Amino acid sequence: DFMRALDEVHPLFGANDEDLERSFEDGIIKFSPYIDKILKNGRECVNQVRSGETPLLTVLLHGPEESGKTALVAKIATDSEYPFIRMIKPVDLNGMNEIEKIRHLTKIFTDAYKSPLSIIVLDNIELFVDWVPLGPRFSSAVLGAIKGLLRNKGPKGRPLLIFATTTERSALAQMQLRFDYEIPVPNVQTQQELGNIMQESGEFGPEDIQRALGEIHETTQRQEIGVGVARVLRAIKTAKQDPDRVGRFAELISESVAYSPS
Amino acid sequence: DFMRALDEVHPLFGANDEDLERSFEDGIIKFSPYIDKILKNGRECVNQVRSGETPLLTVLLHGPEESGKTALVAKIATDSEYPFIRMIKPVDLNGMNEIEKIRHLTKIFTDAYKSPLSIIVLDNIELFVDWVPLGPRFSSAVLGAIKGLLRNKGPKGRPLLIFATTTERSALAQMQLRFDYEIPVPNVQTQQELGNIMQESGEFGPEDIQRALGEIHETTQRQEIGVGVARVLRAIKTAKQDPDRVGRFAELISESVAYSPS
Amino acid sequence: DFMRALDEVHPLFGANDEDLERSFEDGIIKFSPYIDKILKNGRECVNQVRSGETPLLTVLLHGPEESGKTALVAKIATDSEYPFIRMIKPVDLNGMNEIEKIRHLTKIFTDAYKSPLSIIVLDNIELFVDWVPLGPRFSSAVLGAIKGLLRNKGPKGRPLLIFATTTERSALAQMQLRFDYEIPVPNVQTQQELGNIMQESGEFGPEDIQRALGEIHETTQRQEIGVGVARVLRAIKTAKQDPDRVGRFAELISESVAYSPS
Amino acid sequence: DFMRALDEVHPLFGANDEDLERSFEDGIIKFSPYIDKILKNGRECVNQVRSGETPLLTVLLHGPEESGKTALVAKIATDSEYPFIRMIKPVDLNGMNEIEKIRHLTKIFTDAYKSPLSIIVLDNIELFVDWVPLGPRFSSAVLGAIKGLLRNKGPKGRPLLIFATTTERSALAQMQLRFDYEIPVPNVQTQQELGNIMQESGEFGPEDIQRALGEIHETTQRQEIGVGVARVLRAIKTAKQDPDRVGRFAELISESVAYSPS
Amino acid sequence: DFMRALDEVHPLFGANDEDLERSFEDGIIKFSPYIDKILKNGRECVNQVRSGETPLLTVLLHGPEESGKTALVAKIATDSEYPFIRMIKPVDLNGMNEIEKIRHLTKIFTDAYKSPLSIIVLDNIELFVDWVPLGPRFSSAVLGAIKGLLRNKGPKGRPLLIFATTTERSALAQMQLRFDYEIPVPNVQTQQELGNIMQESGEFGPEDIQRALGEIHETTQRQEIGVGVARVLRAIKTAKQDPDRVGRFAELISESVAYSPS
Amino acid sequence: DFMRALDEVHPLFGANDEDLERSFEDGIIKFSPYIDKILKNGRECVNQVRSGETPLLTVLLHGPEESGKTALVAKIATDSEYPFIRMIKPVDLNGMNEIEKIRHLTKIFTDAYKSPLSIIVLDNIELFVDWVPLGPRFSSAVLGAIKGLLRNKGPKGRPLLIFATTTERSALAQMQLRFDYEIPVPNVQTQQELGNIMQESGEFGPEDIQRALGEIHETTQRQEIGVGVARVLRAIKTAKQDPDRVGRFAELISESVAYSPS
Ligand SMILES: Nc1ncnc2c1ncn2[C@@H]1O[C@H](COP(=O)(O)OP(=O)(O)OP(=O)(O)O)[C@@H](O)[C@H]1O
Ligand SMILES: Nc1ncnc2c1ncn2[C@@H]1O[C@H](COP(=O)(O)OP(=O)(O)OP(=O)(O)O)[C@@H](O)[C@H]1O
Ligand SMILES: Nc1ncnc2c1ncn2[C@@H]1O[C@H](COP(=O)(O)OP(=O)(O)OP(=O)(O)O)[C@@H](O)[C@H]1O
Ligand SMILES: Nc1ncnc2c1ncn2[C@@H]1O[C@H](COP(=O)(O)OP(=O)(O)OP(=O)(O)O)[C@@H](O)[C@H]1O
Ligand SMILES: Nc1ncnc2c1ncn2[C@@H]1O[C@H](COP(=O)(O)OP(=O)(O)OP(=O)(O)O)[C@@H](O)[C@H]1O
Ligand SMILES: Nc1ncnc2c1ncn2[C@@H]1O[C@H](COP(=O)(O)OP(=O)(O)OP(=O)(O)O)[C@@H](O)[C@H]1O
Ligand SMILES: [Mg+2]
Ligand SMILES: [Mg+2]
Ligand SMILES: [Mg+2]
Ligand SMILES: [Mg+2]
Ligand SMILES: [Mg+2]
Ligand SMILES: [Mg+2]
């Protein structure tokens, strides 16, 4: 029967249990007060669903690339200590056709309906429907299925909290994919915030930080940084390969600033 | 044969009999006189079909998101006490291809034709055809099948009442999906109506209500609320997680007002 | 072989023999002299094909929604007393893919070619090709097959008369679906015609009619009614549920008038 | 193997051998000198291919609807007395998918390559590719296959003459479907030509003709007729059902004139 | 395995070995000095690949319809005396789906990789991808496969020379189908060139030629001919069916001139 | 199961191990200082991944046609001496459908995840998704799968370095295919650079070089060359077939300059 048909779809990577933890293996640096606010907001949703009054709550974390959406949602989910937590990434659906994708997603939801308290994370939800702005193109079959799942209450007494992340908030709106609550995740915006990350990384002394910020400002002539925290952390790792760690870091960040929309 | 082929399609969630009741588990709050008018209109359709003179009647409830369409139609259907009542939601078709969707819907109609008196509810009918305004996109095969079913009289002496709900009335018109009668379902519009709901919820005293309405007006500078009843009820639940229940409620409603088209 | 393949496609509703008669179970009210003219035109086509000189004749009845196209064509076909009469509706093709639809239609035509005198009615022909003005969309495979069938003479001595109905005459023209003759079917246009129907229904006395027409004129401020006969008859049934039968009827018709293009 | 695969596709109507003759069962009326010119042109192509110097010749007859294209090409083919003559109509492909259509057409060509002298007629060639101007839409797979067949020389000593008919000459050009020669087929253009057909039909005396032509001119206020010969012949048959044969004929032709582009 | 899968695709006409020779069975008339230049260019490519320094060379012959592209490339290939020469035409892929087409083409290339020296000719390459300018439409799957094959070096020591012909050079550019070298093939352009062909044909004496050229000029009022050599040769054959060979030839060429873009 | 399903897809050319080396069989000529910079950049990425701090690094080499992208990336990969190096070209996917392509690519990545240190090269990555600017067209299914793979970290301790090459950088951006770092690869730009290649080739003496550069400048009237190194090397080979090696070389380069965007 249908349930058995569901079992026949085996994803390639989905069984990987360490996914959630690896999502924030570089830690959560509180480079701005807003980070704590996001975590608190997430905690409130976790508590509200745990209270049992709300059978279904859907929450979207949206923000620019590499701003830390996945790390933050993984942290919130891990901290919830719910008995059922599943993060699904687009690559987990690789090699499935549309119907198989839908059945695989549906299967995960029916698994969740069996747990007394569940979190499902749909990471980069726009890619589940193969969204491409060119056209635009997307799979309306998978989209329709996800809409159905996002509104479907499980059996009584089986509350479910659904998180999704995206860089394409307006695409979701155009596709009429709606959420009960939305939480924006910002880039590293100010020189001060960038300095905080440099310091937390333990790779730079106070003078290094001053020099780097100075050079970045000189090169870019901009006040705003506008770069994702993940990109900053990668730049630190790349700069470590260079004898002039500080100069190289400033160079890499300046390039990223130049590319970001002012 | 074909009938047997129909039996082979098993939906994932469709067997869930408690669906109908759970649709209005937060009750039907009569926050405006219009709510009673909708229920009365629905009752009249129920009676007209029961009288046997009209073999087929199709009725559309349309209105903004979370305005209570599903709850109202579920209430009307439940109150009818017809021997055959089926509510179908888009998620019930998850994991089926177009032909299977059509066969599944057709099967439900042939089941209804066997009952002396039947109601079928197509909840969020625009999603049965995977409608997306971007493009726009929709499944013309499923659309065609639904058009056929909406006009198909069953055998003599088997009257059928079909309800549908939608947020996308103009999309239905563009797709030439027509109904015998249409019933609009409104948002919570006035401060008074919002106050009624607050009071009915039993969570706020008269002064709380005054304060909340005042803050909302101050924040939004609008007379009109324009928020769905379901969203108001969720805001009440969320606000309960906050020490300042009244302030948080006002904040959440104000955000919703800001997003609604003035 | 192919013929056997044809037999394997079983429609869901097509076997329903009472379809034809039920199409005009509310009778044919001669509310305007044009109704008789349509019936006479249809009778002439029936006679011309019966005479054997014309092996194939295709006739389109077109007009606004609910104007009575199906009832009239069903009446003409029934009155013909041909040995083979088949009415096909779009819903009869539900659950078939394009190839199956084509084979099913083709099968009906080959059945007709075996009878000495045949009528085939394609009701709402635009829906056989899943026509939707949005796009526009349609199935060009089924369209091509129908074009082929509409031009295909059967074996010698097997004349065939094909009727089709549509609300979408210009769509058919755009899709180059052509007919030998076309018969327009009008709405109820004048107050007089509306009065005739009210009288024929036996539900209203002369004063009721005067009052209703007066109220409709007052409400709509229009001379022209522009409503389909089927809609008028439904309004009568609905009005019967109301204590104020006349007032409610006037109200329902006025609403329909308001929606019709002036 | 592939050849055997080809054999497995059985068309529904294609075996009907009387098709060719029935195409001109109402005769070829020489209502204008141009009719003879078309027949002579066709005969020359037949002779050129018979001479063996030209292994492959493709000829298109194009003209308005019902102008007599099929009748003329069927006459030319029949008169050729070639050992292999096949007329293919779009309906012959009904119920096949694209690949099957291509294989069926290809099979007919390989059959022709086995005969010492062959004619293949593709009647209404634009419909083989499901051409619809709306969009426009067409099957590019079948189109590509036909292009290949139209340019494919068979084995040495197996000359093939291909005729095609169409009402959509400019569509063929847009689809780059090209022919070695093109022969236009005109409508009935002048009063004189229309008179010739009336006379040849044996249904009207000289005074009838005068009266009919007079009435047509009076009604249409046009010099040009612009109606296909097939439509004229049908009008004669329909008029015979009427007591006033002449008046009814004039009426029917006048309607057709009114619809034709001036 | 995959290789065996490749073997299972059998084309309908591809085995026909006489294709290459029949492509220039009317000879190569050197009506202009440019013909020799094309042949010399082709010979140089043949030699360069034979020298072994270039493992893969791709060459496109492009020009108007019937200008002689296929004949010229067939001549060059035949003259090369390479051990492996394959000409593929679009019709060879008739009846295959996209995947089968790709596998068939791929199979031919893997066959070539087994020979010490190979030429593959892709005749009318735009039709391999079902190119139609309307839309435009084309098979991007087959296109992608051909791009892959056109850039794929075989094993060491297995040089391959690929020729392609097309009338749609700009379409190829738009589809980013690129070649190492391009050789344009011209129409018959001048009266002198046309005279040369007439003379070489052996069907016309010097006075015939003068008369025909004079009549053509008079009729067309153009200096430029702009007609493909194949069309000229066909006109000669057709004219031979007419008592007035010269006059008919002039007439046929004049018609072709009139249709060609000035 | 799925893994076994993966094994069933066998590419046609992918097993060819000599691919990588043959990609730079004409050597890497350091015609400009930028070539060394590219190699150094590549080496740094190799080292960074080898250091183990970065589990996944994606790098794009982009530049005009035949500028040497594949040769450079093959050189960098070969020099890395990683235990697992795989270059995938679009032709390796020939004859697979979309799902098979995705499974094949996925299989290669899962193979890489088993090695302690891996490089995967996706050569001409835009063609993996059958990108064609006309439309534009591309396979959104394969695109989605590649996006998933480009962001998917393997198991802990299995760092992976992904290189891709493309001529269509802006297309990748439009399709939102993003990379951690991008390395531009330039054309041969100046007369000096062209002279360097001529000299390195060993086919020209200093005077030959002067003469060729002079003639090119005279013919093109441009300072900039703007031709890919691969095209220059092919021109040298072709020119060797000509008695006037220098003149022919100048001619071929001048043609290429003329075609390049100034
Ligand atoms: N305050 C923070 N918020 C989020 N991530 C942080 C923070 N501080 C450090 N990190 C680290 O930064 C990285 C964030 O990358 P992450 O993949 O979550 O970004 P993302 O927004 O999901 O990117 P993408 O747009 O590619 O999905 C993680 O490695 C995480 O450990
Ligand atoms: N007057 C009312 N009308 C409708 N629902 C009400 C009313 N009063 C309270 N409710 C409650 O509000 C909720 C209405 O939500 P419901 O899902 O029916 O809205 P909806 O319009 O169908 O939303 P959607 O647009 O998402 O389909 C239900 O929980 C119902 O119990
Ligand atoms: N003069 C009349 N002509 C047609 N129908 C009539 C007439 N008088 C009464 N009727 C009744 O009106 C109804 C006509 O509805 P019918 O379904 O034929 O309309 P329709 O034009 O086919 O509608 P649709 O556009 O939905 O296909 C029937 O029930 C018929 O019995
Ligand atoms: N001079 C004529 N030329 C052609 N047909 C004629 C002529 N005289 C009489 N006829 C008759 O007219 C009819 C022509 O119809 P035919 O189907 O050939 O037209 P058509 O152009 O092919 O129409 P369509 O556009 O529908 O394919 C035939 O019945 C034929 O016998
Ligand atoms: N100089 C010439 N060049 C090419 N063909 C010639 C020449 N002289 C004579 N011919 C003859 O002309 C014909 C050329 O036709 P061919 O099919 O090669 O043209 P084509 O350009 O390939 O046409 P198409 O555009 O239809 O593919 C052949 O029959 C060939 O023998
Ligand atoms: N400095 C150089 N950089 C790159 N390639 C060089 C260089 N010097 C010589 N070559 C040679 O030039 C050729 C470069 O061709 P390659 O196929 O790598 O170009 P490409 O940019 O990948 O082309 P395409 O756009 O077709 O993919 C190789 O044969 C290589 O050996
Ligand atoms: Mg993320
Ligand atoms: Mg609802
Ligand atoms: Mg009808
Ligand atoms: Mg015809
Ligand atoms: Mg050719
Ligand atoms: Mg390359």
Side-chain angles (χ1 to χ4, degrees), chain B residues 42-55 57 82 159 181, chain C residues 234-239 241:
Chain B
R43 245 181 349 253
E44 284 172 356
C45 292
V46 165
N47 291 335
Q48 176 169 356
V49 170
R50 186 186 281 119
S51 81
E53 263 195 304
T54 311
L57 198 67
Y82 275 25
Y181 291 118
Chain C
R234 186 169 54 245
I236 293 176
K237 284 177 196 169
T238 303
Q241 311 285 327

Side-chain angles (χ1 to χ4, degrees), chain B residues 101-119:
Chain B
K101 288 181 181 181
I102 291 169
R103 291 189 172 175
H104 180 61
L105 292 172
T106 302
K107 175 68 168 57
I108 290 170
F109 277 74
T110 56
D111 285 352
Y113 298 150
K114 291 176 200 146
S115 160
L117 211 47
S118 304
I119 286 178

Side-chain angles (χ1 to χ4, degrees), chain B residues 3 53 106 138 154 178 181, chain C residues 12 22 65 95 137 238 240:
Chain B
M3 275 303 168
E53 263 195 304
T106 302
F138 56 93
R178 299 193 186 100
Y181 291 118
Chain C
L12 189 55
R22 292 193 68 193
E65 292 166 47
R137 297 256 215 108
T238 303
K240 280 166 68 180

Side-chain angles (χ1 to χ4, degrees), chain F residues 13-14 23-24 38 116 127 210 212:
Chain F
F13 308 105
S23 297
F24 54 102
I38 293 170
L127 297 184
Q210 278 330 310

Side-chain angles (χ1 to χ4, degrees), chain A residues 86-232:
Chain A
R86 267 303 284 279
M87 177 154 85
I88 323 173
K89 294 165 302 159
V91 80
D92 298 341
L93 306 185
N94 259 22
M96 301 180 189
N97 62 30
E98 291 195 328
I99 292 287
E100 286 168 349
K101 288 181 182 183
I102 291 168
R103 290 189 173 176
H104 180 61
L105 292 172
T106 303
K107 175 67 167 57
I108 290 170
F109 276 74
T110 57
D111 284 353
Y113 297 150
K114 290 176 200 147
S115 159
L117 211 47
S118 304
I119 287 179
I120 288 177
V121 180
L122 298 167
D123 196 31
N124 287 114
I125 193 171
E126 80 277 9
L127 297 184
F128 283 82
V129 299
D130 284 338
W131 165 264
V132 191
L134 206 62
R137 297 257 214 106
F138 57 93
S139 157
S140 50
V142 179
L143 175 63
I146 290 180
K147 282 182 184 173
L149 291 170
L150 286 185
R151 292 161 172 247
N152 192 53
K153 296 178 194 167
K156 275 217 142 183
R158 305 290 200 219
L160 170 61
L161 173 54
I162 302 174
F163 283 112
T165 74
T166 196
T167 51
E168 299 290 317
R169 185 184 172 227
S170 83
L172 302 194
Q174 289 172 64
M175 294 188 290
Q176 299 191 323
L177 207 48
R178 299 194 186 98
F179 296 84
D180 293 338
Y181 290 118
E182 299 198 345
I183 301 177
V185 178
N187 267 332
V188 178
Q189 298 289 31
T190 64
Q191 291 236 337
Q192 159 108 48
E193 289 173 7
L194 182 58
N196 291 345
I197 297 172
M198 290 180 73
Q199 190 181 348
E200 285 293 320
S201 75
E203 303 286 343
F204 303 94
E207 282 171 30
D208 293 345
I209 297 176
Q210 277 331 309
R211 188 188 137 208
L213 295 181
E215 286 179 19
I216 290 165
H217 188 247
E218 204 170 329
T219 311
T220 65
Q221 298 293 335
R222 287 216 222 155
Q223 290 299 343
E224 201 166 332
I225 302 293
V227 174
V229 60
R231 187 167 282 266
V232 173

